[in-house]
Amino acid sequence: DQQVKQNSPSLSVQEGRISILNCDYTNSMFDYFLWYKKYPAEGPTFLISISSIKDKNEDGRFTVFLNKSAKHLSLHIVPSQPGDSAVYFCAASAYNTGNQFYFGTGTSLTVIP
Amino acid sequence: EAGVTQFPSHSVIEKGQTVTLRCDPISGHDNLYWYRRVMGKEIKFLLHFVKESKQDESGMPNNRFLAERTGGTYSTLKVQPAELEDSGVYFCASSQRSRDYYVNTEAFFGQGTRLTVV
């Protein structure tokens, strides 16, 4: 049973516009959430994280929003750039699960120049 | 600083053979994880080492998989005998151990080993 879900397998956005990637989770014990970016033939690269005590974390063009009541988080990229084209994975962990990360299936983002 | 390195990058073996994957974590990282991604699906947890101890191996598919981390440095994941369904990309990741058990830190991933069992 998948505890972290990314329901959009793909997303296309024009360069300069906002990209919004969504993620839902089912385990209310999750207290730490991360976004990873993955290029083909490479491993996932850490992008940004958020603790459950916050509802927003920003790092340059990337902002992650957390809605605990809805068990939903989203990644906003603005403005989107062609180099942002990659697969984005949402991940979550909880201290009582030994800090292993649960991943979603990924969303493939294409930024069109 | 060197990142997480995995060897080999690709492996093609026949069903019934044995394969050993190696992971060298970032120096000083106590946490080491193995994950697997089957085509198009989620990145799935296999197991977690803290130094040389197995903290959680609940994700290991069956007893054909054996992971070791002798001395708390590099780790190996052996599949013996390999089956067709073992094909996928195996990722290793490492992270620092937080002073506070209840505070997590991000994990850094290697490039993965693509295993194909034919």
Side-chain angles (χ1 to χ4, degrees):
Chain A
D1 182 32
Q2 217 173 318
Q3 299 188 54
V4 176
K5 297 178 184 178
Q6 294 176 258
N7 293 319
S8 298
S10 62
L11 175 69
S12 289
V13 171
Q14 286 289 136
E15 180 178 3
R17 306 293 289 266
I18 184 171
S19 296
I20 300 176
L21 296 98
N22 293 302
C23 178
D24 297 290
Y25 61 95
T26 57
N27 189 342
S28 57
M29 298 303 292
F30 285 149
D31 57 5
Y32 186 62
F33 304 88
L34 312 91
W35 284 95
Y36 281 84
K37 176 179 177 180
K38 185 185 177 305
Y39 293 116
E42 293 184 10
T45 302
F46 170 72
L47 197 56
I48 192 169
S49 64
I50 187 167
S51 162
S52 60
I53 62 173
K54 295 186 176 181
D55 54 20
K56 176 182 174 182
N57 188 26
E58 196 170 350
D59 183 2
R61 297 185 297 112
F62 303 91
T63 303
V64 56
F65 295 92
L66 175 63
N67 182 335
K68 289 188 290 292
S69 60
K71 295 193 182 70
H72 177 83
L73 69 156
S74 60
L75 175 68
H76 292 211
I77 307 172
V78 54
S80 301
Q81 299 173 354
D84 296 330
S85 297
V87 178
Y88 289 78
F89 289 94
C90 169
S93 71
Y95 75 86
N96 69 345
T97 60
N99 291 330
Q100 66 155 288
F101 299 96
Y102 293 84
F103 283 83
T105 51
T107 296
S108 178
L109 173 67
T110 302
V111 180
I112 304 162
Chain B
E1 179 184 283
V4 178
T5 55
Q6 292 186 244
F7 182 82
S9 55
H10 292 86
S11 181
V12 181
I13 62 171
E14 291 184 352
K15 176 182 168 181
Q17 287 187 320
T18 297
V19 63
T20 300
L21 314 181
R22 173 171 170 143
C23 168
D24 287 81
I26 293 172
S27 177
H29 281 192
D30 286 342
N31 291 311
L32 188 149
Y33 306 86
W34 282 98
Y35 287 87
R36 176 173 72 178
R37 187 181 189 214
V38 174
M39 176 108 63
K41 300 205 171 177
E42 77 271 27
I43 299 172
K44 212 159 187 180
F45 169 80
L46 295 178
L47 91 158
H48 170 206
F49 284 99
V50 176
K51 296 188 179 179
E52 66 275 6
S53 300
K54 288 177 188 172
Q55 179 79 9
D56 181 355
E57 51 185 331
S58 61
M60 295 286 261
N62 50 59
N63 59 11
R64 294 185 294 102
F65 289 74
L66 175 64
E68 295 179 326
R69 191 183 182 195
T70 309
T73 55
Y74 73 90
S75 174
T76 57
L77 178 65
K78 183 193 286 188
V79 185
Q80 179 183 30
E83 297 289 345
L84 299 179
E85 65 264 25
D86 301 332
S87 296
V89 181
Y90 289 76
F91 291 107
C92 174
S94 71
S95 69
Q96 288 183 321
R97 191 168 193 189
S98 171
R99 287 187 208 139
D100 183 346
Y101 177 75
Y102 299 103
V103 174
N104 208 341
T105 57
E106 68 271 18
F108 297 86
F109 280 75
Q111 85 281 9
T113 294
R114 180 173 295 279
L115 174 64
T116 304
V117 183
V118 297

